[in-house]
């Protein structure tokens, strides 16, 4: 069983729509959760981090965490073509950054 | 401000050859990491260095060695390359070890092909 699972996609949404990206993790003791965006051929860059149950909003992005269900999601409102990228879910399973586990990523395409 | 830099950007090796991937950061970060990224598998940690003078194994260390040369530089060495090591390699750094909320910053990556 993979530690961090994401739908590989591709997920396609029209411009202006809400894109919903989902991630589940297996280690119930996981402490912190991250969403990275990775454009094709580029390195990952951090979009959001979340540590407590509930929602965290930053501009057009909202991260949602449900530790009981071992589920974390990312909502992108008013999706733009520039949001087209692969989104990586990362879960820190311990108290050190060496315990980070990444999902394989979901490829998002926003169509004009 | 360059952030995290990696050299080379691309490399082709023959099976059995050796090479060293270089990484440097100018953010005065304590911790540095080497990951590999393969299609369908996400990023996997090879080795990390929590602070200058220390290194430790990650999830997939076999076939690799590392050196934390100083606070800025962290190199990854393949002693005898194998086709299974064909991958994209990312170096990352973060400011503090042992802080769960810390952000990792990634370099541009090295695309390695082993024939």
């Amino acid at each position: 069983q993979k530690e961090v699972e994401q739908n590989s996609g591709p997920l396609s949404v029209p411009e202006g729509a809400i894109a919903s990206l989902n991630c589940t993790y297996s280690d119930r003791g996981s402490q912190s959760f991250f969403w990275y965006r990775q454009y094709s051929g580029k390195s990952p860059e951090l979009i959001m981090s979340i540590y407590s149950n509930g929602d965290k909003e930053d501009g057009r992005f909202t991260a949602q965490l449900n530790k009981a269900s071992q589920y974390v999601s990312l909502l992108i409102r008013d999706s733009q073509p520039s949001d087209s990228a692969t989104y990586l879910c990362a879960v820190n399973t311990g108290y050190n950054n060496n315990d980070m586990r990444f999902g394989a990523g979901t490829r998002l395409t926003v169509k004009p | 401000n360059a952030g995290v830099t990696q050299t080379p950007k691309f490399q082709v090796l023959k099976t059995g050859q050796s090479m060293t991937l270089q990484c440097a950061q100018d953010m005065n970060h304590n911790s540095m990491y080497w990951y590999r990224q393969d299609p369908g598998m996400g990023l996997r940690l090879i080795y990390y260095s929590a602070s200058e003078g220390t290194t430790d194994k990650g999830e997939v260390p076999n076939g690799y060695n590392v050196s934390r040369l100083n606070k800025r530089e962290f190199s990854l060495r393949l002693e005898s390359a194998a086709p299974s090591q064909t991958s994209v390699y990312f170096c990352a750094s973060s400011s503090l070890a042992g802080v769960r909320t810390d952000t990792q910053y990634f370099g541009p990556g090295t695309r390695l092909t082993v024939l």
Side-chain angles (χ1 to χ4, degrees):
Chain A
Q1 182 186 1
K2 288 184 181 178
E3 295 183 63
V4 179
E5 293 210 45
Q6 299 179 250
N7 287 327
S8 61
L11 173 65
S12 181
V13 300
E15 184 174 356
I18 296 175
S20 177
L21 304 163
N22 304 316
C23 173
T24 58
Y25 59 94
S26 60
D27 189 333
R28 189 170 286 279
S30 297
Q31 300 293 322
S32 44
F33 308 86
F34 306 86
W35 282 100
Y36 283 84
R37 178 177 62 200
Q38 186 175 25
Y39 292 113
S40 181
K42 302 296 185 182
S43 58
E45 55 179 334
L46 183 72
I47 301 175
M48 297 277 291
S49 58
I50 186 166
Y51 312 108
S52 304
N53 281 328
D55 295 359
K56 180 181 177 183
E57 186 174 321
D58 184 0
R60 295 186 297 111
F61 299 95
T62 299
Q64 299 173 317
L65 175 61
N66 184 328
K67 289 187 179 180
S69 300
Q70 296 174 240
Y71 177 90
V72 59
S73 65
L74 179 70
L75 300 178
I76 307 175
R77 289 182 301 280
D78 188 24
S79 295
Q80 301 297 309
S82 59
D83 295 325
S84 298
T86 295
Y87 289 80
L88 306 175
C89 174
V91 177
N92 195 333
T93 60
Y95 285 93
N96 298 300
N97 267 313
N98 52 291
D99 296 325
M100 195 81 79
R101 295 288 185 264
F102 285 81
T106 298
R107 187 154 58 92
L108 172 67
T109 300
V110 180
K111 296 188 175 180
Chain B
N1 189 351
V4 181
T5 57
Q6 293 182 235
T7 55
K9 287 190 169 59
F10 301 92
Q11 184 70 49
V12 179
L13 293 178
K14 294 181 179 178
T15 297
Q17 287 185 317
S18 62
M19 79 160 295
T20 300
L21 281 64
Q22 306 287 353
C23 174
Q25 51 90 11
D26 63 2
M27 296 178 283
N28 200 35
H29 284 170
N30 291 308
S31 301
M32 298 185 74
Y33 314 83
W34 277 105
Y35 289 92
R36 61 178 288 172
Q37 186 175 34
D38 303 295
M41 298 195 72
L43 288 154
R44 292 182 292 168
L45 184 64
I46 304 171
Y47 270 93
Y48 68 97
S49 172
S51 60
E52 186 179 354
T54 68
T55 62
D56 215 333
K57 296 178 180 179
E59 189 182 352
V60 288
N62 290 345
Y64 305 96
N65 286 300
V66 290
S67 295
R68 182 74 182 266
L69 304 170
N70 47 56
K71 190 172 185 179
R72 289 187 64 247
E73 298 172 290
F74 189 37
S75 62
L76 178 72
R77 183 161 177 84
L78 287 71
E79 291 291 351
S80 179
S84 61
Q85 294 177 306
T86 294
S87 189
V88 180
Y89 291 85
F90 288 102
C91 178
S93 70
S94 63
S95 60
L96 292 172
V99 177
R100 64 185 174 101
T101 62
D102 196 26
T103 298
Q104 294 188 20
Y105 296 87
F106 286 84
T110 294
R111 189 173 298 273
L112 175 67
T113 301
V114 182
L115 302 175

